[in-house]
Amino acid sequence: MKIMLVGDVVGRTGRKAFDRYTKELRQKYNVDMVIVNGENSAGGKGISRKSMDELLRGGADVITSGNHIWDNREVYGFIDQEPYLVRPANYPQGAPGKGWCIYPFRSANVAVINLSGRAFMPDMDCPFQKIEDILSEIGNEADIFVLDFHAETTSEKMAMGFYLDGRVQAVVGTHTHIQTSDARILPKGTGYITDLGMVGPWHSVLGVEPEIIIKKFTTCMPARFNVAEGPAVYSAVVMDIDTATKKTVNIERIFITE
Ligand SMILES: [Fe+2]
Ligand SMILES: [Fe+2]
């Protein structure tokens, strides 16, 4: 089966670009399932009912997230009801929402797991211990396992990729909003990329108007972040997973700039 994994969608510019390209790419690559990170889909901060519905209408099957998931308070009202919206599983117990879900696709159940890194990130439970708990909890309930590892450093993400190589079918990094060029199949058959990148304004600093971030760096003063407008970037990968051997046989990087 073919799964397309799409990077963090940022604001309206990102949502429009997601809508513009996802259906086209689904057809072009014969994609069976789309997983997208929606943590910045509402005005760059968090996810709202409206931004989530736009992603679902635009072709998303499962929405993952990260440290920005709580930024729009609307999410508290629906995160527990949405079957295909996940947040990092290694929040301590008591946080709303869930860290993984199972998406049924024809004869295969696809487990989509979301975890946060700990290097330069909020304090979280250990993602390496947490994934062990999750894998044994899911057990035979799923046939294919996909992880969105939302983390800052390349090293933590690569370590997770090798840690899970051969035990899950896909490990993709998110959070930095910059796509890395290292899409690969790890030695034991796990498809991997350090960061998917983002879907959002191309002439921006990680989605935000450059002037604001330049001012922040040059004055060290706090500033209100506005999502930039204009042409977009669309960043994703398509993985081809052999459901019989449980190995990823191909990974293709998608990077569209307008
Ligand atoms: Fe993000
Ligand atoms: Fe993030």
Side-chain angles (χ1 to χ4, degrees):
M1 75 178 292
K2 285 194 171 176
I3 302 182
M4 183 160 78
L5 298 118
V6 187
D8 304 26
V9 173
V10 183
R12 182 159 31 103
T13 309
R15 298 197 307 272
K16 292 271 176 308
F18 182 78
D19 190 63
R20 214 158 36 247
Y21 296 107
T22 302
K23 280 175 190 155
E24 201 179 299
L25 291 165
R26 271 193 102 118
Q27 282 202 334
K28 182 177 173 193
Y29 290 93
N30 251 317
V31 168
D32 298 303
M33 177 184 177
V34 174
I35 302 168
V36 60
N37 190 302
E39 71 154 3
N40 308 105
S41 59
K45 288 177 169 180
I47 185 163
S48 62
R49 166 66 64 186
K50 175 173 172 269
S51 74
M52 186 183 63
D53 286 346
E54 273 184 48
L55 294 179
L56 294 171
R57 266 202 312 276
D61 296 306
V62 174
I63 300 171
T64 58
S65 64
N67 55 308
H68 287 293
I69 181 67
W70 315 117
D71 288 359
N72 186 309
R73 299 187 61 79
E74 266 186 40
V75 77
Y76 291 91
F78 61 80
I79 194 167
D80 282 313
Q81 283 84 54
E82 285 303 320
Y84 302 123
L85 169 64
V86 292
R87 47 84 177 151
N90 50 336
Y91 274 102
Q93 254 185 2
K98 61 204 160 303
W100 55 270
C101 67
I102 292 181
Y103 182 82
F105 174 75
R106 290 190 203 148
S107 58
N109 280 337
V110 182
V112 180
I113 305 158
N114 199 182
L115 281 170
S116 168
R118 294 200 293 185
F120 306 110
M121 298 291 285
D123 282 339
M124 304 287 279
D125 293 344
C126 175
F128 293 86
Q129 282 172 15
K130 191 68 195 180
I131 189 72
E132 294 298 343
D133 297 345
I134 293 170
L135 291 179
S136 51
E137 197 180 331
I138 298 176
N140 295 328
E141 269 182 70
D143 308 286
I144 302 295
F145 293 80
V146 176
L147 170 65
D148 173 350
F149 191 33
H150 196 77
E152 182 73 42
T153 67
T154 49
S155 59
E156 195 177 14
K157 288 188 263 196
M158 293 210 76
M160 184 61 85
F162 280 101
Y163 184 72
L164 293 175
D165 186 18
R167 297 199 285 158
V168 306
Q169 283 64 44
V171 175
V172 297
T174 56
H175 176 67
T176 71
H177 293 200
I178 301 289
Q179 189 179 74
T180 55
S181 58
D182 63 337
R184 60 193 284 193
I185 314 263
L186 295 171
K188 292 175 189 161
T190 295
Y192 174 83
I193 185 167
T194 297
D195 207 292
L196 289 172
M198 75 164 171
V199 179
W202 180 222
H203 300 312
S204 74
V205 178
L206 315 184
V208 178
E209 288 173 5
E211 295 70 27
I212 295 171
I213 305 297
I214 292 168
K215 197 173 169 205
K216 196 168 148 51
F217 277 112
T218 53
T219 65
C220 297
M221 295 298 290
R224 201 190 140 85
F225 287 5
N226 290 328
V227 174
E229 291 179 3
V233 57
Y234 188 108
S235 321
V237 298
V238 175
M239 296 213 198
D240 190 354
I241 299 166
D242 184 333
T243 48
T245 63
K246 304 276 178 80
K247 286 187 193 309
T248 295
V249 291
N250 191 46
I251 177 166
E252 193 159 341
R253 202 154 53 82
I254 292 164
F255 191 74
I256 302 166
T257 57
E258 294 179 332

